Amino acid sequence: MNERYPSSASAVLHGQTTADILDTLPDMADGLQAQLIELYKRPSADRCDHMAANLAGAQVTIRKLREAIQREGTGDER
C-alpha cells in the first residue's frame, strides 16, 4: 500500500484509493505521450480513433481520482 494517502474502509466499497489511482498516472502519461508522438509522425484515422478512446479512458480515470480524493479527504483541498 502506498503510504502517501490514508486508505479508507469506504474505498473498498467504492473502488480504488487515491494512492492506487495516482500510481497509474505516470504510466498513463507515458502511454498517451507515445501515442501522440506516433500520431504526429504517422497520422491516420485509426490512430485518431485509438487516441480518442484512450483520452476518454484517461478522463474516466481522472474522474475516479476526483471521487477518491473527495471520499478520502485527501489532496490539497483539505
Side-chain angles (χ1 to χ4, degrees), residues 10-75:
S10 66
V12 173
L13 298 173
H14 295 98
Q16 296 176 301
T17 66
T18 298
D20 292 337
I21 298 168
L22 286 173
D23 286 345
T24 69
L25 295 184
D27 287 338
M28 183 189 307
D30 291 344
L32 292 172
Q33 179 184 22
Q35 281 187 288
L36 284 168
I37 291 168
E38 184 65 17
L39 184 58
Y40 170 77
K41 290 178 179 178
R42 299 175 50 209
S44 72
D46 287 342
R47 284 187 185 85
C48 288
D49 291 343
H50 193 238
M51 185 79 233
N54 285 332
L55 288 170
Q59 186 177 32
V60 169
T61 299
I62 298 305
R63 286 186 177 147
K64 287 180 181 181
L65 176 60
R66 182 183 188 280
E67 291 170 7
I69 289 169
Q70 288 183 318
R71 180 178 63 244
E72 296 173 13
T74 58

